[in-house]
Structures are given as C-alpha cells and as structure tokens.
C-alpha cells in the first residue's frame, strides 16, 4: 500500500470510528455552505429580477437641448430671462451614443404643434417600435400604427371626438398630412394630451429634418446611483449642445433597496459562517484532546509532526469537500423555495455556485482545524502516552 492510499485509509477509518463527531461536523459545514449558496443564488436572482422590474419604469436618462437664454431688463430693472427653444441634431446624438459605448434602450422624440380644424394640437414624433420596448405600460385601445397611421392620447380623443379608424388632416409649416387613427393611448400622464405619429413624418411636416426635442435612454445602473450619474456626465461631454439629466427616482429607490437587502444577506451569512467556524474549532479541539495518546503513539513510532498534521488536515479537507457538495444541493433547494415564495419565479441555475460552496466549506473546515493542528504539532509524545 503506497503512502497516498495509506493516508486515505487512515482518514476514512478515523472518520468512521467517530461517527457522532463526523456527522456533527458535516452538519455544521453543510449548513454554513448551503446558506452561503442559497443567499448567493437568491441575491443573484433578485438582481436580475429587479432589473427586469425596473425596466417597467421607463427611461432613466433624458437628453434635452440647452436653451438659448436672453436677459430682459435695463439698468436696475431685471425682468428675468426668456428662452428660445433649440433642437438636438439627430446624427450628433447617434454619434455621441456610439462613441460612449453605452448599451441602452433609446427613443427619439420631436414635439411640436400642427393645425387641426380651427386650432392647434400638440403632436410628438416617435419610433413606435422603441416606445413599445421602453414604455410597456402604454395601453392602446385599438392597434399600434403602421405607415400613414397615428395614435392619439385619451384626452385629445375626447376633446375632438376622435375615434379609432377615423382619418384626420394635420397642417404644418411645410406640408399637410392625412393620418388614420389606429388606436387611442392611455397612460395617466402627459401622453394622454398628445397625438403621436412617426418621427420622420413629423420632421418633414415641420420642416425639421434631423431635429429632435429629446432623447430618452434606459440604462441599467444596478442600483449604483453614482454609476448612472457618471454615465450621464460622460455622455454629456460628448455632446456639448445637450443636457443629460437623470429621471426615475422610484426605480433608483428600488435599486437602492436591493443593495440594502443584499448587504443584510451578507451580514447574516457572515454571522452564520463565524458561528460555524467556532463550532468546527470546538469540535476539532475536543477530538485532538481525545486522540492525544493516539497522536503520541504515532510520533513514538517514527511519525513526524508534519506527517501527523497531514492526517488531520486530510480529515478536515475530506469533511470540507463532503460538506461543500451537500451544501450546494441543499442550498439550491432552499434558493428555489425562497425565490418561488417571494418572487413567484424559479431561481436561476448557477452551477458555478458549487465552487463557492466547496470553498466556503473547505475554508471553515481548515480554519477551524488550525488551532487544534497547532496543538498536534506541539504535542509531546512522552507526556501524551503518560496521560498527562
């Protein structure tokens, strides 16, 4: 029997001989690693779940043009400022977004007024495909428009008696356009007081080709408000004629709450790991005291201190591996139960958490055995055989 097989044989027999303590250590290591695994999987699943929910709040960055301001007054009189609207240049916005490398959902907007019947109606040019992704809460009674069609806000429809399927004629500075109303939108916000048509079409009618009044972006900042702010600042530096601002305070609050919940999970895991480490240390110390004569006999028969320590290290490592494997499976089950109960959704399959479970269990087993192994190293074989 070579040394490696002899070592495995000794370790296995030693663990089997002390079934009670072996089961206790395995239970402690399994509990600690399973909790670390479960909280890790739940935390990861929560992050993705909250990111999906946050998308429902819509854009979190908006790009608007700087306003041209003119001071009004003379001498000691100051009547304030008047502002003239400016526009974003669409191609410059697209270039700035490309240079920033920002991966975000986006929607381009152009707002203006068109003559309808005896007055003006506020209209907004948009890309409907982008709107459906960024603003999923829009409720359309009817259908989303195609070429030559538009949707009208609920309040505008009531004010002018517009109905789905009706054709309206709108007049702008450059031309007149006839559009079929394909649906009526209701959001409970300012959209209810607007008429929406395709962006290129409104740009032609207003004579504002390549012009925008705003751009809305949906950037996932993963709960880090500083990250979102830095991205806004970086984007603004690429387009000096624009102002990039943050919106969506509710979503930022949700992301901040997620960070706090993750911190709470981390603290709970730390407390459990410390308790488990203390339990392992106490159990291993008791084992060393009980086996002092056995250790003295091995040293008296020619075993070196490092050789004896290797046996105890191997025992701890074997317990750590077994506890880590069991902890991963139990932790996955616990994570599934928590996510299904709290989020009504299954936890993500994360096989790489098996490595974390093994590392946690091995770390606790070896760290908890460190003190007892030092005692083994210092143990005097003569005194131990005398029972002192």
């Amino acid at each position: 029997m070579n040394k490696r097989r002899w070592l495995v044989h000794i370790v296995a027999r030693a663990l089997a001989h002390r079934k009670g303590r072996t089961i206790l250590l395995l239970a402690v290591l399994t509990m600690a690693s399973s909790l670390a695994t479960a909280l890790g999987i739940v935390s990861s699943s929560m992050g993705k779940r909250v990111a999906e929910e946050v998308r429902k709040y819509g854009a979190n960055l908006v790009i608007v043009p700087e306003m041209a301001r003119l001071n009004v007054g003379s001498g000691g009189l100051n009547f304030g400022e008047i502002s003239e609207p400016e526009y974003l240049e669409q191609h410059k916005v697209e270039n700035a977004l490309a240079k920033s490398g920002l991966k975000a959902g986006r929607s381009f907007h152009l707002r203006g007024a068109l003559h309808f019947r005896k007055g003006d109606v506020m209209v907004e040019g948009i890309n409907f495909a982008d709107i459906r992704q960024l603003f999923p809460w829009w409720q359309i009674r009817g259908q989303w428009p195609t070429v030559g069609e538009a949707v009208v806000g609920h309040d505008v429809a009531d004010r002018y008696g517009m109905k789905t399927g009706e054709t309206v004629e709108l007049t702008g500075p450059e031309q007149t356009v006839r559009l079929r109303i394909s649906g009526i939108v209701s959001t409970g916000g300012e959209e209810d007081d607007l008429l929406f048509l395709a962006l290129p079409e409104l740009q032609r009618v207003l004579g504002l080709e390549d012009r925008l009044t705003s751009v809305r972006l949906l950037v996932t900042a993963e709960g880090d408000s500083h990250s979102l702010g830095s991205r806004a600042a970086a984007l603004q530096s690429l387009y000096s004629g624009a102002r990039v601002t943050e919106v969506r305070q509710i979503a930022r609050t949700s992301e901040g709450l997620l960070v706090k919940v993750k911190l709470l999970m981390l603290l709970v895991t730390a407390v459990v790991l410390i308790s488990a480490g203390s339990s392992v240390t106490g159990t291993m110390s008791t084992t060393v005291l009980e086996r002092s004569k056995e250790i003295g006999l091995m040293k008296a028969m020619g075993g070196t201190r490092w050789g004896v320590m290797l046996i105890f290290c191997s025992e701890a490592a074997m317990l750590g591996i077994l506890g880590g494997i069991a902890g991963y499976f139990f932790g996955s089950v616990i994570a599934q139960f928590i996510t299904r109960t709290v989020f009504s959704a299954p936890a993500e399959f994360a096989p790489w958490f098996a490595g974390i479970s093994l590392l946690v269990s091995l770390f606790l087993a070896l760290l908890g055995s460190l003190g007892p192994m030092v005692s083994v190293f210092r143990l005097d074989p003569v005194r131990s055989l005398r029972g002192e």
Side-chain angles (χ1 to χ4, degrees), residues 282-359:
T283 305
M284 291 296 290
S285 297
T286 304
T287 300
V288 169
L289 290 175
E290 291 178 349
R291 298 170 66 181
S292 59
K293 290 185 178 181
E294 177 185 338
I295 297 168
L297 181 60
M298 284 190 288
K299 288 185 175 181
M301 293 175 62
T304 64
R305 291 179 176 181
W306 292 107
V308 176
M309 283 188 63
L310 179 61
I311 295 176
F312 281 86
C313 285
S314 300
E315 290 181 13
M318 184 172 291
L319 288 171
I321 292 172
L322 294 175
I325 293 173
Y328 172 70
F329 287 107
F330 280 110
S332 299
V333 173
I334 295 172
Q336 286 289 345
F337 173 77
I338 293 174
T339 53
R340 288 184 183 276
T341 303
V342 177
F343 299 110
S344 300
E348 63 174 358
F349 177 67
W352 57 276
F353 271 103
I356 294 179
S357 180
L358 280 172
L359 286 175

Side-chain angles (χ1 to χ4, degrees), residues 58-109:
N60 52 9
L61 289 182
V62 60
I63 307 175
V64 294
E66 289 286 353
M67 304 298 290
R69 293 181 174 84
L70 178 64
N71 290 320
V72 179
S74 176
L77 298 177
N78 186 6
F79 299 103
E81 297 179 338
I82 60 173
S83 301
E84 296 180 1
E86 291 185 347
Y87 297 97
L88 299 169
E89 296 184 61
Q90 185 172 340
H91 74 279
K92 288 186 177 180
V93 174
E94 292 173 345
N95 290 338
L97 291 173
K99 290 179 180 178
S100 69
L102 196 64
K103 294 182 180 179
R106 63 188 68 177
S107 64
F108 294 159
H109 301 256

